[in-house]
Amino acid sequence: MSTIKHVAITGGTHGNELTGVHLLKYWREHPDEVARQSFSTELHLANPKANHLNRRYVDQDLNRQFGLNDLNNHELCGYEQNRAKALNALLGPKEDPRVDFVIDMHTTTANMGMSLIFNTDDPMVVGMAFYVQQKMPHATLFYDPNERLDDNFLTSLGRYNGFLIEVGPIPQGLLRADVYLQTREAVQHCLDFLELWNQKAVPELPSEREGYRFLEKVQLPENEAGELTAMLHPDLQDQDYQEIAPGDPFFMTLSGETIPYPGTTPVYGAFINEAAYYDAHVGLSLMEKITIPYRR
Amino acid sequence: MSTIKHVAITGGTHGNELTGVHLLKYWREHPDEVARQSFSTELHLANPKANHLNRRYVDQDLNRQFGLNDLNNHELCGYEQNRAKALNALLGPKEDPRVDFVIDMHTTTANMGMSLIFNTDDPMVVGMAFYVQQKMPHATLFYDPNERLDDNFLTSLGRYNGFLIEVGPIPQGLLRADVYLQTREAVQHCLDFLELWNQKAVPELPSEREGYRFLEKVQLPENEAGELTAMLHPDLQDQDYQEIAPGDPFFMTLSGETIPYPGTTPVYGAFINEAAYYDAHVGLSLMEKITIPYRR
C-alpha cells in the first residue's frame, strides 16, 4: 500500500480563482493547520503571473499542460507551457515524482457547490472522495478517468495522483467567505484522510456512492462568423447535476426562442455557463450518473 | 420642456460585461425593436478593444473618463482616455452634445437585481426611473447625484443626461439569459418612456418613491504590504440594499474572525463584493435610504 511522504497543496492554477491563492497565503502564516505527523506539506502558488494579472492564464490554460508528452516537448514554450515544466521540475518529474500527492484548489462560476474531481479509481483517491463527502455531505463526486501519465491536470504530477477541489458559484477575481471556508475545510479533510491512510486507520467508508462521470463538452450555437447566436436556456442555468431529458429547454437564442436538448437519452449538466469556457463558446459539460465503487 | 431627437444605447463600456454587447449585436439585426417614431436610436459598442480582450478595460475604467476637464486634457492619453475623447466627438461634444440621451447597459457580480442608476434629479430622468420601476417592480432606484459637466460617467455625454441600467448578479465574461432578458426589457421601457415624453403623454407616476443614495465606498482591510487580510462577512454577502446596523458582521478575516460594522448609524450596502472593484480592494458601497420626489 502506498505511503504518502510529501503532499503539495496548490492554488492559483487559474490566476483569477482567488480562493486558493488566499488560502495559501493564510497557511503560510499558519502552517500548523496543514501540518500532519506522517507527511510533509508544501504550498505552491501555481501560476503567479496570471494571478498578478488577475487572469485565468497568460498564454494557455495551465491546467491542461501536464501530459507527459507535452512536458517533454520543448517546442511548447508558451508561458504556462514553461510554467508546467518548472512545476514538473519542482514536484515531479512526472515519470518518478518527488511529491506523492497533489491537492489543487479551484473555483467555478457555475452552480456546482463543492465538487470533488478525481481522475482515477485508485482506492486512496476514491477513499478520499468518500471521506470528504462523509464530512461534507453536500459535496458531489465528479469522476473523469484518465491515465496519470497522459492526464494533463496539475494533480497528475503526484506519484499517487491527486485531488481537485472545485467550489462554486463564484465570479472570477474575488473572494467569497463561504467558498473560502468550504475549501479550507475540504482541504483539512483531505489531509486528515492522508494521515489516516498512512496510519492504516481509515474509518469505515461506504462500498459505493453515487457520482457523475464526464461525457463531453457542448458548444454554444454560433453563426458562420463564429459569433454566439444563443445562450444557455434560463431553465438550465444553475441546474448543475440535474437531469436534462431529451426535448428539455437547452439553449435560448438572442431573440428569445427556445432550442431543446437534441440528445436521445437523459444526461446531467455540469460547468453550466462557466465563464472560463466562454471564449471557446463551451456552454456546459454533459455527465452521466454512475455508481462509484470503493475497493479498498 | 426638453425634446429628445437622438438617443444612444451603449454597451460594453466595461468590456467583460457581455450582456450589453450581445444586445447591441441583436438590435443591429433587429433595429425595429429599438426604433421609435419621435427620435432616432443609435447603437454603440463603447469599448471594443477591452471587449475583444474580455477585460473590464485596457488601461483605465472607461466609465470614469467623461468629466469635462478630463475630456479636454490631452495629457490623459491612455487607451480609455482617448476612447472617451473619441466618444465625446461621436456623441458630444459634452458642452453642446449632438445626442440628447444615453442609455448605458452594465452588469455587476453583486446581488443588486435590476438597479436603475441616475445622477440627476431632472424630471425626465427621475420619471424614466419611476416608469421603468412601474413596469418592473423589482427594480431598485440608485441615485448618485453629480453635475453633468463634472460627472465622469458615459451617460453624462447626453444633452439631457442619461440612464444606467445595472443588472446582477452575473460573473464577468458571460451571458445569462435571465440578465439578458431583463436588460432588454428595461431598455424597451426607457425608449417607450422617451417616446411618451416627446408626445407629452407620460402616464401618471407616483410623486415619490423609495430609493438609495450613494454615500461612500469602503475598503477591505489590508496589511502593511497591501495584501487583503479580510473578506466581506458571509452574513453580508448578497445582501445588497439590506440594512447594515452598527455592530453587524461586516468583514471576516482570513482566519475566520468577524469584524463588526464600525459605523454609528444604519446604512445600506450596494455593489457588495463586486469583482471589478477588487483590484482596488473596495468591498462595497454604503448607501442611505431616501425618498426620491418626482417634480414634473
Side-chain angles (χ1 to χ4, degrees):
Chain A
M1 196 170 96
S2 48
T3 301
I4 301 300
K5 296 196 183 72
H6 300 287
V7 173
I9 305 176
T10 53
T13 304
H14 297 133
N16 55 10
E17 298 177 4
L18 300 190
T19 306
V21 173
H22 284 268
L23 278 169
L24 291 175
K25 281 188 188 180
Y26 172 68
W27 287 325
R28 283 215 179 88
E29 293 179 8
H30 300 82
D32 287 356
E33 189 170 304
V34 289
R36 296 294 183 277
Q37 282 291 331
S38 67
F39 57 84
S40 73
T41 307
E42 47 194 85
L43 305 167
H44 298 292
L45 179 59
N47 196 338
K49 189 170 176 184
N51 177 239
H52 178 71
L53 296 170
N54 194 25
R55 283 158 55 180
R56 184 173 174 90
Y57 55 78
V58 180
D59 291 326
Q60 300 91 11
D61 188 333
L62 177 59
N63 208 31
R64 302 293 182 274
Q65 308 304 325
F66 294 94
L68 183 59
N69 286 342
D70 288 350
L71 290 172
N72 290 333
N73 180 352
H74 287 272
E75 290 183 9
L76 302 178
C77 51
Y79 180 77
E80 278 80 7
Q81 291 164 337
N82 283 327
R83 180 68 185 150
K85 292 172 176 68
L87 287 166
N88 190 42
L90 181 66
L91 308 177
K94 187 154 182 167
E95 302 92 321
D96 182 19
R98 178 183 63 81
V99 162
D100 298 304
F101 201 80
V102 178
I103 302 168
D104 194 26
M105 300 177 286
H106 287 258
T107 59
T108 171
T109 68
N111 186 30
M112 289 170 67
M114 161 156 299
S115 293
L116 308 172
I117 302 182
F118 50 104
N119 308 110
T120 169
D121 60 1
D122 184 284
M124 187 174 66
V125 177
V126 175
M128 178 180 284
F130 285 20
Y131 180 81
V132 175
Q133 199 188 41
Q134 219 172 39
K135 301 290 184 182
M136 305 177 81
H138 61 284
T140 303
L141 307 183
F142 184 121
Y143 180 49
D144 181 15
N146 278 306
E147 284 300 316
R148 190 180 77 80
L149 290 183
D150 299 333
D151 189 351
N152 56 15
F153 277 21
L154 171 55
T155 47
S156 69
L157 281 188
R159 177 181 297 274
Y160 303 109
N161 224 300
F163 201 70
L164 195 153
I165 298 169
E166 179 88 67
V167 188
I170 181 171
Q172 298 167 343
L174 64 73
L175 285 174
R176 273 183 70 114
D178 51 355
V179 170
Y180 176 94
L181 292 173
Q182 273 195 72
T183 308
R184 181 181 170 196
E185 182 185 345
V187 170
Q188 295 301 315
H189 295 315
C190 291
L191 297 172
D192 290 344
F193 177 83
L194 291 174
E195 179 77 358
L196 293 165
W197 181 271
N198 278 348
Q199 293 167 352
K200 300 185 173 42
V202 170
E204 192 71 23
L205 291 172
S207 60
E208 58 181 43
R209 296 288 296 165
E210 182 181 90
Y212 298 85
R213 180 186 169 121
F214 174 77
L215 293 173
E216 58 173 326
K217 292 186 175 183
V218 178
Q219 296 288 124
L220 293 166
E222 51 185 47
N223 62 20
E224 288 171 2
E227 297 171 326
L228 281 188
T229 56
M231 305 165 275
L232 263 295
H233 194 279
D235 289 359
L236 187 55
Q237 178 72 46
D238 301 331
Q239 301 304 308
D240 298 77
Y241 302 123
Q242 300 303 308
E243 184 181 291
I244 304 168
D248 276 356
F250 201 54
F251 299 128
M252 198 188 75
T253 68
L254 295 182
S255 51
E257 290 144 26
T258 294
I259 300 175
Y261 175 57
T264 52
T265 52
V267 288
Y268 296 79
F271 288 112
I272 293 177
N273 225 7
E274 163 56 51
Y277 299 161
Y278 231 65
D279 54 358
H281 288 187
V282 169
L284 77 164
S285 292
L286 299 184
M287 316 287 288
E288 61 177 340
K289 196 184 270 193
I290 58 169
T291 298
I292 299 171
Y294 175 55
R295 300 188 187 89
R296 177 102 187 245
Chain B
M1 196 171 95
S2 47
T3 301
I4 301 300
K5 296 196 182 73
H6 300 286
V7 173
I9 304 176
T10 54
T13 304
H14 297 132
N16 55 10
E17 298 177 4
L18 300 190
T19 306
V21 173
H22 284 268
L23 279 169
L24 292 175
K25 282 187 188 180
Y26 172 68
W27 286 324
R28 285 217 176 85
E29 294 178 7
H30 301 82
D32 286 356
E33 189 170 303
V34 289
R36 296 293 183 276
Q37 283 291 334
S38 67
F39 57 84
S40 73
T41 307
E42 46 195 84
L43 305 166
H44 297 291
L45 179 58
N47 196 337
K49 189 170 177 184
N51 177 239
H52 179 72
L53 296 169
N54 193 25
R55 281 157 58 180
R56 183 172 175 91
Y57 55 78
V58 179
D59 291 326
Q60 299 91 10
D61 189 332
L62 177 59
N63 208 30
R64 302 293 183 274
Q65 308 304 325
F66 293 94
L68 183 59
N69 286 343
D70 288 350
L71 289 172
N72 291 332
N73 180 353
H74 286 272
E75 291 183 9
L76 302 177
C77 52
Y79 180 77
E80 278 80 8
Q81 290 164 337
N82 283 328
R83 181 67 187 152
K85 292 172 176 68
L87 287 166
N88 189 43
L90 181 66
L91 308 177
K94 187 154 182 166
E95 302 92 321
D96 182 19
R98 176 181 66 79
V99 161
D100 297 306
F101 202 80
V102 178
I103 302 168
D104 194 28
M105 300 177 287
H106 286 257
T107 58
T108 170
T109 69
N111 186 30
M112 289 170 67
M114 161 156 300
S115 292
L116 308 173
I117 302 182
F118 50 104
N119 308 112
T120 169
D121 60 0
D122 183 285
M124 186 174 67
V125 177
V126 175
M128 179 180 285
F130 284 21
Y131 180 81
V132 175
Q133 199 188 42
Q134 219 172 38
K135 301 289 183 182
M136 304 177 83
H138 61 284
T140 302
L141 308 184
F142 183 121
Y143 180 49
D144 181 14
N146 277 306
E147 285 300 317
R148 191 180 76 82
L149 291 183
D150 300 333
D151 190 351
N152 56 15
F153 277 21
L154 171 54
T155 47
S156 69
L157 280 189
R159 178 181 296 274
Y160 302 110
N161 224 302
F163 201 70
L164 196 153
I165 298 169
E166 179 88 68
V167 188
I170 181 171
Q172 299 167 343
L174 64 72
L175 285 174
R176 273 183 71 114
D178 51 356
V179 171
Y180 175 94
L181 292 173
Q182 273 195 72
T183 308
R184 181 180 170 197
E185 182 185 346
V187 170
Q188 295 302 315
H189 295 315
C190 292
L191 297 172
D192 290 345
F193 177 83
L194 291 174
E195 179 76 0
L196 293 166
W197 180 271
N198 278 349
Q199 294 168 352
K200 299 184 174 42
V202 170
E204 191 70 22
L205 291 171
S207 61
E208 58 181 43
R209 295 288 296 165
E210 183 180 89
Y212 298 85
R213 178 184 170 123
F214 174 77
L215 293 172
E216 58 173 327
K217 293 186 174 184
V218 178
Q219 296 288 123
L220 294 165
E222 51 185 47
N223 62 20
E224 288 171 2
E227 297 171 325
L228 281 187
T229 55
M231 306 165 275
L232 263 296
H233 195 279
D235 289 359
L236 187 54
Q237 178 72 46
D238 301 331
Q239 302 303 308
D240 298 76
Y241 302 123
Q242 301 302 309
E243 184 181 291
I244 304 167
D248 276 356
F250 200 54
F251 298 127
M252 197 188 75
T253 68
L254 295 182
S255 52
E257 290 144 25
T258 294
I259 300 175
Y261 175 58
T264 52
T265 53
V267 287
Y268 296 78
F271 288 112
I272 293 177
N273 224 6
E274 163 57 50
Y277 299 162
Y278 231 65
D279 53 357
H281 288 187
V282 169
L284 76 165
S285 292
L286 299 185
M287 315 287 289
E288 60 177 341
K289 196 184 272 192
I290 58 169
T291 298
I292 299 172
Y294 174 54
R295 300 188 187 88
R296 175 94 189 253

